[in-house]
Amino acid sequence: MTDAAPDHVAQDNLAAQSAYDWLYSQTRAAAGRGRGPEQARALMDLLGAPDRQFRSLRVVGTNGKGSTCAMLEAGLQAAGLRVGRFTSPHLDRFEERIRVDGRELDPAETLKFIAWAQQQAQTFAFFDLTLGLAAQAFARQEVDVAVMEAGVGGRSDATDALARVEAVLLTNVGLDHTAALGGTVAAIAADKAGAARAGVPLLTTAGPEALPVIQSVATDLGALLYTPATHPELFRLPHAPSLLGPHQRENASLAVATLRLLGYEAGVSVALSAKHPGRLEALRLRGRTVWLDGAHNPPAARALAASLRGVDVALFGSFARKDTDQTLAPLLPLAPSGSLLHPARTGPPRPPGWPSIMGVRPSWTLP
């Protein structure tokens, strides 16, 4: 039997949890803030504009941003740069969102920043605060370049506030966050492509439905557009990436093209060996293979379904605000005899023949 933690340790833990709870509670609605880069810029300036002390690579798109960031980070480090990485969401610890040369931010730095924000920046939203914390950490640790993943959209995202953007990467465009970005691929593509800047490279592996809109926006903004069609050698892969699934080849080609364009060819091989948790990640559990993936919208679910075969049981979870039915549809054929679970949903009634799975208890147990 182990002794209980000393009172001061328990109190410190409670204080830390309270601080994180405050940060998580700073939703845009609670903070009274709308979406857009204006508030993020105001916060950056309040912090002394730390984003002006390093170069940024912005990664926008519907899916594949995190994987592309992981490959970019690995490649840039291999090329000899000191690299910051800002991604979201985290899987386990908040500090996963902010890394320098592969090392997560010290929680003490997070708590110090939250204490400051509670006094000096109470009206800013969670994502803006997290972005500000990342920029401050990258400036203090003197990174050469930061790989910055957008939250939602491009032109309307907080990361559009970043000052020294060296390149913009647009992975792909699909229907997600439609309430914020619009209900069509064209509308979403216009917002994401709006991350482009005059004279700055815009690289994309987006499909044919979105590409004409992206081309038009790039022309209007004076961005330098690079695609696999216009620059095939730039996007060519020397070999397949370590990350699994056909969709990861597109993400890899985008990361590789960026490294080459910016003069970091030396990092290409290491970039293709990068790992990223929760993306077709294989785990072993009691003699079984468990595939873990964060697919959370219809395009991502289709990519996941195309990558898997012979699944015995599928477990599915989703926020009610997401397009649950369309996201789940490609996954149903993977495990016809298995149980699929998800929380309460919104939307119209299911069509005839649709499985009734809400609240169903699992029909299986692991041995």
Side-chain angles (χ1 to χ4, degrees):
M1 182 175 178
T2 58
D3 294 333
D7 287 345
H8 69 87
V9 173
Q11 291 171 358
D12 288 347
N13 290 340
L14 286 173
Q17 187 58 58
S18 176
Y20 283 104
D21 288 345
W22 177 86
L23 181 61
Y24 292 133
S25 74
Q26 292 297 104
T27 62
R28 296 201 182 279
R33 300 292 192 184
R35 297 183 64 256
E38 296 81 11
Q39 292 304 314
R41 185 66 258 163
L43 179 60
M44 290 290 184
D45 292 340
L46 187 62
L47 289 166
D51 59 312
R52 300 188 188 278
Q53 299 182 43
F54 54 85
R55 294 171 288 138
S56 293
L57 304 180
R58 280 189 73 195
V59 182
V60 305
T62 300
N63 293 306
K65 297 188 295 294
S67 297
T68 302
C69 287
M71 288 185 270
L72 273 178
E73 176 191 39
L76 291 166
Q77 282 185 247
L81 298 177
R82 186 163 176 79
V83 183
R85 193 185 86 180
F86 171 73
T87 55
S88 60
H90 60 272
L91 296 181
D92 186 29
R93 298 170 303 281
F94 172 84
E95 283 73 22
E96 294 169 22
R97 296 168 178 257
I98 303 169
R99 294 161 42 122
V100 173
D101 281 352
R103 294 184 297 274
E104 294 175 11
L105 183 68
D106 186 336
E109 290 297 310
T110 305
L111 294 173
K112 182 178 178 181
F113 179 86
I114 293 174
W116 171 85
Q118 287 175 320
Q119 297 298 317
Q120 304 294 329
Q122 308 97 320
T123 61
F124 290 95
F126 170 84
F127 192 84
D128 299 335
L129 290 166
T130 306
L131 180 64
L133 170 60
Q136 184 182 74
F138 297 158
R140 283 178 175 172
Q141 298 193 46
E142 299 182 334
V143 305
D144 299 307
V145 62
V147 179
M148 309 294 284
E149 179 184 351
V152 176
R155 177 180 57 228
S156 61
D157 187 67
T159 55
D160 202 51
L162 293 168
R164 295 176 58 194
V165 176
E166 188 171 39
V168 177
L169 293 73
L170 201 172
T171 57
N172 49 61
V173 179
L175 294 177
D176 195 17
H177 300 292
T178 53
L181 302 178
T184 66
V185 168
I188 295 171
D191 189 283
K192 293 184 184 297
R197 301 188 180 190
V200 173
L202 170 64
L203 302 94
T204 185
T205 46
E209 188 176 359
L211 193 54
V213 176
I214 295 169
Q215 291 170 326
S216 177
V217 173
T219 299
D220 291 345
L221 295 178
L224 309 175
L225 183 63
Y226 296 82
T227 74
T230 61
H231 298 79
E233 284 303 304
L234 196 65
F235 286 80
R236 179 184 54 81
L237 293 178
H239 57 81
S242 296
L243 292 171
L244 301 177
H247 55 290
Q248 292 291 6
R249 294 185 68 91
E250 292 187 355
N251 297 330
S253 70
L254 185 59
V256 164
T258 305
L259 291 171
R260 286 177 175 148
L261 182 65
L262 299 180
Y264 304 123
E265 175 85 33
V268 165
S269 180
V270 173
L272 294 175
S273 68
K275 305 294 184 185
H276 196 40
R279 277 69 174 181
L280 269 177
E281 182 180 5
L283 308 174
R284 294 294 294 175
L285 179 62
R286 299 183 186 177
R288 295 173 182 259
T289 298
V290 178
W291 292 97
L292 181 65
D293 192 88
H296 61 285
N297 54 44
R302 290 193 292 271
L304 174 60
S307 304
L308 292 177
R309 296 290 184 273
V311 176
D312 294 320
V313 177
L315 299 179
F316 175 85
S318 172
F319 287 120
R321 60 180 168 80
K322 304 296 285 186
D323 189 352
T324 300
D325 289 350
Q326 292 301 313
T327 303
L328 183 56
L331 304 177
L332 286 173
L334 294 178
S337 61
S339 299
L340 297 101
L341 313 175
H342 70 86
R345 59 180 292 282
T346 59
R350 289 183 174 79
W354 192 269
S356 178
I357 59 178
M358 283 200 309
V360 175
R361 295 185 60 183
S363 58
W364 56 276
T365 56
L366 289 175

